[in-house]
Amino acid sequence: MTDNTAANQQTALAQYGEELLPVFGAPSLVIDRGDGCYVWDLDGKRYLDLLGGIAVNAVGHNHPDLVAAVSKQAGEMLHVSNFFTSRAQVALAHELLRISRVPEGSRVFFANSGAEANEAAIKLSRRTGRSKIVACEGAFHGRTTGALALTHKAAYREPFEPLLPDVVHVPFGDADALRSAVDDRTAAVFLEPIQGEAGVRVADDEYLRAAREITSAAGALLIVDEIQTGVGRTGDWLAHQRSSIVPDAVTFAKGLGGGVPIGAMVTFGAEVSALLQPGQHGTTFGGNPLACAAGLAVIDVIERDDLLDNARTLGEWFAAAVDDLDDERVAGVRGRGLLLAVELRDELSADVVTAARNAGFIVNAVAPNAIRLAPPLIIAQEQLQTFVDALPTLITEATS
């Protein structure tokens, strides 16, 4: 690359630092374009994207079906107010109800993001006439003020306290602790089937079934946050479906639009769906035709190309391939489908991520000793193999 091109990236990063609020920290790259499972920075260097925009780019970058759907919709209509609806909005609601396997009387509310979907779910729970909410230690439900009250990490919460009151956090995966915390004042329990931001920690099926039993007995809602795990990420349309529970509400976002911002809450059954009445909640851009057209394309590609099976098969293959490395510095792989974490024995993940980026891989240090992978669901075994082959060298470089 020419010096001029390199200077352009440096200039862009410097301008970012001068003109954007530093809430995300300093970005390491200017990503200029993408294609499939690869992205290129402004210097023209290629990277295998094993993070997929943190589980957002479900069908990869620049997928022709997604581009065609968005282009067609943009040529027809970008926005209508909520005094009206659109074909795309109605069609996507139908598809969300189908893949969610809901009972009669279920409904959809569209938002713009996962945090907004959870805000809707919080308001839904308040309509039970109760205010207490139980969430889990390690939980991440968003950074808007209501969702932040449910998020557990102190560094996110404490600068903005006091937050929404009457929120209790219990140890994740501990059914006895959950049973002790839920009472006749509890409006809802919020659960992630897999805690992505806490290091890709999986709730077992028995725990999810216990949560359903406990909330039903107390007359509380069970709200499952599938913002990171939904839309095929774990090899099922929704991660909780493997446990065969029927929640009261589910929240979507990340992979749903394949990169176009959209969130959604699905309410299960007529009784729960009747909790929110006209005028009690709303959004200007939720259900935007462009975002809904993107969501329809994502669901169609996942179904047509059998990407649920691809996620299941490659997730299992990756865990076995890393185990076959027999590298004593690796403790194992956790997660499900294509939401995975490589657990290291030492707290090296930040340095491994830097070494990986230098070698042309994008991964994420989700914990001091864990590297998160959430690649596009279209990824091939041959592409994952290149990262497995490189992993021992990346760890060595991180320790040197």
Side-chain angles (χ1 to χ4, degrees):
M1 301 307 301
T2 67
D3 289 343
N4 184 53
T5 303
N8 284 341
Q9 176 152 249
Q10 291 171 359
T11 299
L13 291 173
Q15 188 172 355
Y16 180 102
E18 292 172 358
E19 298 182 348
L20 279 87
L21 280 173
V23 293
F24 299 108
S28 54
L29 299 171
V30 181
I31 300 296
D32 197 39
R33 63 188 175 91
D35 186 16
C37 294
Y38 294 99
V39 294
W40 284 259
D41 69 15
L42 204 51
D43 287 340
K45 181 176 177 178
R46 191 183 76 165
Y47 304 83
L48 179 60
D49 186 0
L50 296 172
L51 191 57
I54 313 181
V56 167
N57 299 105
V59 294
H61 299 273
N62 203 25
H63 192 287
D65 289 37
L66 181 55
V67 171
V70 170
S71 299
K72 180 175 182 294
Q73 186 61 53
E76 295 174 351
M77 181 174 61
L78 282 175
H79 176 75
V80 293
S81 76
N82 290 316
F83 293 119
F84 312 103
T85 187
S86 65
R87 284 181 295 170
Q89 187 181 90
V90 173
L92 184 59
H94 179 80
E95 288 298 281
L96 285 183
L97 293 174
R98 180 178 67 83
I99 67 172
S100 298
R101 302 175 191 166
V102 295
E104 285 294 320
S106 301
R107 295 289 186 269
V108 176
F109 170 79
F110 284 116
N112 303 297
S113 67
E116 286 185 68
N118 279 336
E119 293 288 341
I122 291 169
K123 289 181 73 174
L124 182 82
S125 74
R126 286 293 186 100
R127 290 289 297 147
T128 62
R130 304 176 180 183
S131 62
K132 180 179 176 182
I133 294 176
V134 180
C136 285
E137 295 176 3
F140 183 87
H141 295 291
R143 298 176 193 253
T144 51
T145 51
L148 184 59
L150 277 57
T151 294
H152 183 249
K153 191 173 183 178
Y156 297 160
R157 296 164 46 84
E158 289 177 351
F160 306 100
E161 292 177 341
L163 297 167
L164 186 73
D166 223 2
V167 176
V168 176
H169 289 93
V170 297
F172 181 64
D174 186 336
D176 290 337
L178 185 62
R179 188 173 286 106
S180 296
V182 175
D183 53 30
D184 59 7
R185 293 181 49 252
T186 304
V189 171
F190 278 68
L191 282 180
E192 297 163 279
I194 299 175
Q195 289 188 328
E197 300 301 316
V200 190
R201 299 190 176 279
V202 182
D204 61 38
D205 293 340
E206 185 178 348
Y207 176 68
L208 292 177
R209 286 193 281 269
R212 177 67 284 182
E213 174 195 335
I214 292 165
T215 49
S216 294
L221 303 182
L222 176 61
I223 297 171
V224 180
D225 180 335
E226 295 263 11
I227 288 165
Q228 191 161 150
T229 52
V231 201
R233 172 57 50 190
T234 67
D236 295 289
W237 280 116
L238 294 164
H240 76 267
Q241 290 172 339
R242 190 167 297 193
S243 67
S244 300
I245 64 167
V246 178
D248 296 301
V250 166
T251 51
F252 288 83
K254 291 191 178 289
L256 179 55
V260 179
I262 186 171
M265 174 180 70
V266 171
T267 54
F268 283 58
E271 184 176 354
V272 175
S273 299
L275 289 174
L276 283 173
Q277 292 297 306
Q280 292 182 336
H281 197 48
T283 168
T284 294
F285 295 106
N288 172 279
L290 191 75
C292 289
L296 286 166
V298 167
I299 291 173
D300 181 61
V301 170
I302 290 173
E303 200 150 51
R304 183 196 68 199
D305 296 346
D306 204 7
L307 298 184
L308 300 184
D309 183 66
N310 196 54
R312 282 192 296 267
T313 303
L314 288 189
E316 293 169 1
W317 173 86
F318 180 82
V322 171
D323 186 58
D324 286 345
L325 290 173
D326 198 24
D327 190 319
E328 63 182 11
R329 300 168 298 180
V330 177
V333 175
R334 59 177 181 250
R336 199 160 74 216
L338 288 174
L339 180 57
L340 301 163
V342 178
E343 184 181 1
L344 306 172
R345 296 204 184 277
D346 296 318
E347 295 187 350
L348 295 168
S349 61
D351 292 326
V352 172
V353 167
T354 300
R357 188 169 62 245
N358 292 337
F361 301 100
I362 292 179
V363 290
N364 162 243
V366 73
N369 67 337
I371 304 161
R372 176 171 49 180
L373 283 76
L377 304 181
I378 61 171
I379 198 164
Q381 180 177 316
E382 293 75 17
Q383 292 170 314
L384 281 174
Q385 181 76 61
T386 62
F387 180 73
V388 174
D389 292 342
L391 185 57
T393 300
L394 300 179
I395 298 173
T396 298
E397 291 181 3
T399 56
S400 63

